[in-house]
Amino acid sequence: MIDIIFYIFMSIGLCFIFLGCLGLLRMPDVYCRLQASTKCVTLGTGSVLLATLIKTGFSAIGMKALVCLVFLFLNSPTAAHALAKAADISGIKVWEKPGDEKIYPAKPRPTVETDKE
Amino acid sequence: MNYIIVFILLFGIWKIITWSNDTGNYIAGILVSLFITIIYGREFPYHPEHTLQPRRYLAFIKFLFVFLYQMIKANFIMAYRILSPGPPIKPGVVKIPLHLKSPLGRIILANSITLAPGTFTMDITEDYLYVHWIYVVTTDPVKAEEMICGKSQKILKEVFE
């Protein structure tokens, strides 16, 4: 029984990690790519860690997996946020589908003054 | 008070990570936790009196359920967007008002928006969040707030303020 649940969670996790990688290839710009990869890979990795916890029970390995799960949910969005902010500061515009009305950012973003000599 | 909370937190994490019952393990854990507590204990919980109020924990558990539901939904929507031909997206940046003041609450709200359906926190200022939305429905800040994070922001306000 435990084996079956373990395999189910593991396959869900691997499917979502695969989808995240596919999204990385299919999306048009850096922000959409970050969205796809962050969401899918976070759930996928979380699912794999949960499967490890179920398989090994409350042993040393299982508890480490649980702690990893908590820190993954805290860290993964933060890292993605840092990447998005870096991309924004270096001046990458949001992609628009050709033909759509333009949706501007709500404020002109502050740009970082770089020293140019 | 501050020192006690930080010590219990650190020692709990130590016990969970090592997960053994040696005497040496307990001694090492207590020594390391005490050392870190002496350095950082003064700064960490901004409102130590809040940790003794059970209703905050109940609200936080409620938030966890809302968050899990949103995250699983977000993943299926994202899977649909990735797999359909010519991704059905219309990305843009909207700004939404932010009512939380506590730093920990703001971090948790920003992270939960990143994992919620179709939205992604890009920047955070004093009163506003700048959110990248993969399919923009409205650009009005108040409506967008209601659609993106209305529920979770209310619950987090209960938890942290």
Side-chain angles (χ1 to χ4, degrees):
Chain A
M1 189 62 202
I2 284 179
D3 270 356
I4 296 172
I5 301 174
F6 167 74
Y7 285 125
I8 290 173
F9 272 105
M10 207 64 151
S11 348
I12 293 174
L14 292 179
C15 283
F16 273 116
I17 291 176
F18 174 71
L19 277 178
C21 300
L22 201 64
L24 205 61
L25 289 174
R26 278 183 56 86
M27 289 293 164
D29 77 335
V30 61
Y31 305 111
C32 298
R33 283 179 176 174
L34 270 176
Q35 282 224 21
S37 56
T38 311
K39 286 194 225 306
C40 291
V41 171
T42 307
L43 187 78
T45 318
S47 184
V48 169
L49 286 172
L50 200 64
T52 314
L53 177 65
I54 288 168
K55 179 79 173 171
T56 58
F58 289 95
S59 64
I61 300 172
M63 294 317 279
K64 281 190 189 70
L66 191 65
V67 175
C68 285
L69 193 64
V70 173
F71 283 117
L72 175 79
F73 275 81
L74 282 176
N75 281 345
S76 173
T78 315
H81 165 68
L83 282 172
K85 197 164 177 180
D88 186 34
I89 287 174
S90 56
I92 297 171
K93 295 277 186 297
V94 174
W95 180 82
E96 278 142 358
K97 201 181 266 182
D100 274 3
E101 55 182 313
K102 285 192 186 297
I103 298 152
Y104 290 104
K107 78 164 183 189
R109 309 183 150 273
T111 50
V112 172
E113 299 287 326
T114 48
D115 292 314
K116 282 176 188 160
E117 292 181 19
Chain B
M1 186 72 195
N2 259 352
Y3 290 95
I4 297 170
I5 294 167
V6 175
F7 179 75
I8 291 172
L9 198 67
L10 287 171
F11 191 64
I13 292 176
W14 168 271
K15 283 316 287 178
I16 290 175
I17 287 181
T18 55
W19 201 254
S20 73
N21 261 329
D22 293 350
T23 323
N25 179 284
Y26 276 99
I27 294 171
I30 288 173
L31 283 181
V32 171
S33 309
L34 267 183
F35 182 65
I36 301 175
T37 309
I38 290 167
I39 299 176
Y40 292 110
R42 211 170 336 133
E43 296 158 16
F44 170 55
Y46 300 101
H47 301 286
E49 71 278 5
H50 286 182
T51 48
L52 291 181
Q53 297 166 349
R55 69 178 173 85
R56 293 181 192 276
Y57 294 101
L58 289 179
F60 191 69
I61 290 169
K62 196 171 140 201
F63 168 76
L64 279 185
F65 278 107
V66 172
F67 167 70
L68 267 181
Y69 167 70
Q70 276 194 338
M71 200 182 107
I72 292 167
K73 194 173 129 197
N75 274 280
F76 283 105
I77 294 175
M78 190 46 88
Y80 158 71
R81 291 220 167 96
I82 289 169
L83 291 176
S84 29
I89 56 177
K90 187 173 120 189
V93 179
V94 292
K95 88 173 173 181
I96 59 177
L98 178 65
H99 307 300
L100 283 165
K101 289 286 171 284
S102 132
L104 192 57
R106 292 165 78 125
I107 290 173
I108 292 178
L109 181 69
N111 280 2
S112 77
I113 286 177
T114 298
L115 293 173
T119 52
F120 185 88
T121 316
M122 276 170 74
D123 205 350
I124 183 166
T125 61
E126 200 53 44
D127 311 310
Y128 290 102
L129 274 173
Y130 291 87
V131 171
H132 177 265
W133 204 351
I134 205 162
Y135 198 94
V136 176
V137 182
T138 168
T139 48
D140 179 49
V142 179
K143 270 187 207 159
E145 190 223 343
E146 194 54 44
M147 292 184 68
I148 291 171
C149 71
K151 209 170 172 186
S152 44
Q153 178 147 255
K154 259 174 231 144
I155 301 174
L156 278 177
K157 218 171 157 67
E158 263 176 56
V159 179
F160 288 102
E161 273 159 39

